Amino acid sequence: MIFDFNGTISDDEPLLDALFTRLLADRGITLTSEVYWRDLAGLSDPEIVRRALALGAKPVTDEACDELLAAKVVAYKDAVTASPTISADAADAVRTAAARVPIAIASGAVREEVEHVLAIAGLRDAFSAVVCIDDVDAGKPDPAGFLLALELLGGVIAPADVLVVEDADAGVRAARAAGMRVAAITGPALTVVPDEPIERLDAETMERLLA
């Protein structure tokens, strides 16, 4: 089983919406929640930064992207330290899955953020592999992250035997491009129909998905 991170294990998409809105406003760019959820949620952090700068008619230079991304990492880590974003139910879901099958993360976030949140929740050891945007050349909907996660799980599992857990259109499309089945949490970032819609991430849901 391969999990997405933001909005799936970590209930932080509203936080990301607020952080990007604030950081972009500081740079003279207006980002509405409607635009975030419709056009940006589920994409990799570098891609969100590039698209947001373009939406604000700002130069999309490496320097501008790096500066904005670095500011976002600092703000995000501060926020999740103050208010952890992995719920008890989500942690139970991860542990339930890990007790049954090898599990990994394939995330469009930067590793510094993902590792920080997992450490706070005490969940890092549950995952056999953690793939972040730092590890691949393209984010979702490109399947590279899922394929690398599968490789790191040992390379003997067929893609069709992998269940991905997602929450956003880009992730569902990436999982399908990798030849994997996908369950997805229903919400504002999801408009495509997954193989298995789910309402929440908890131990009961994991037991049902793994039955």
Side-chain angles (χ1 to χ4, degrees):
M1 183 174 282
I2 302 176
F3 291 84
D4 171 53
F5 184 72
N6 298 123
T8 303
I9 294 172
S10 178
D11 184 15
D12 58 9
E13 285 290 2
L15 169 62
L16 294 171
D17 176 12
L19 286 180
F20 277 117
T21 297
R22 175 170 62 80
L23 291 169
L24 290 166
D26 291 343
R27 291 155 177 81
I29 301 171
T30 298
L31 176 68
T32 65
S33 291
E34 179 184 6
V35 170
Y36 176 81
W37 288 101
R38 186 188 67 214
D39 299 332
L40 303 179
L43 298 176
S44 70
D45 284 357
E47 184 64 18
I48 290 174
V49 166
R50 285 192 292 269
R51 292 195 184 194
L53 290 172
L55 285 171
K58 300 292 184 180
V60 187
T61 63
D62 289 346
E63 182 180 7
C65 291
D66 290 348
E67 186 275 331
L68 179 54
L69 186 56
K72 183 261 181 178
V73 170
V74 171
Y76 178 88
K77 289 176 68 177
D78 286 346
V80 299
T81 299
S83 298
T85 53
I86 296 183
S87 68
D89 281 347
D92 286 345
V94 167
R95 294 188 183 101
T96 298
R100 297 277 299 279
V101 295
I103 65 172
I105 286 174
S107 174
V110 298
R111 180 170 297 279
E112 185 177 351
E113 293 180 355
V114 175
E115 296 282 4
H116 182 73
V117 174
L118 291 176
I120 291 172
L123 286 177
R124 180 59 182 88
D125 289 346
F127 295 95
S128 300
V130 175
V131 173
C132 301
I133 193 59
D134 318 56
D135 304 310
V136 293
D137 293 330
K140 303 168 188 176
D142 190 286
F146 287 122
L147 294 172
L148 178 57
L150 178 58
E151 179 183 339
L152 294 174
L153 285 175
V156 296
I157 306 168
D161 293 329
V162 175
L163 180 65
V164 167
V165 183
E166 265 287 351
D167 77 309
D169 291 353
V172 173
R173 294 188 176 106
R176 286 184 169 154
M180 300 171 183
R181 297 175 297 122
V182 57
I185 301 169
T186 56
L190 186 71
T191 62
V192 300
V193 179
D195 299 301
E196 183 76 35
I198 57 178
E199 293 183 3
R200 63 183 62 86
L201 200 63
D202 56 21
E204 182 180 355
T205 299
M206 284 299 105
E207 292 286 4
R208 178 170 60 82
L209 291 175
L210 292 166

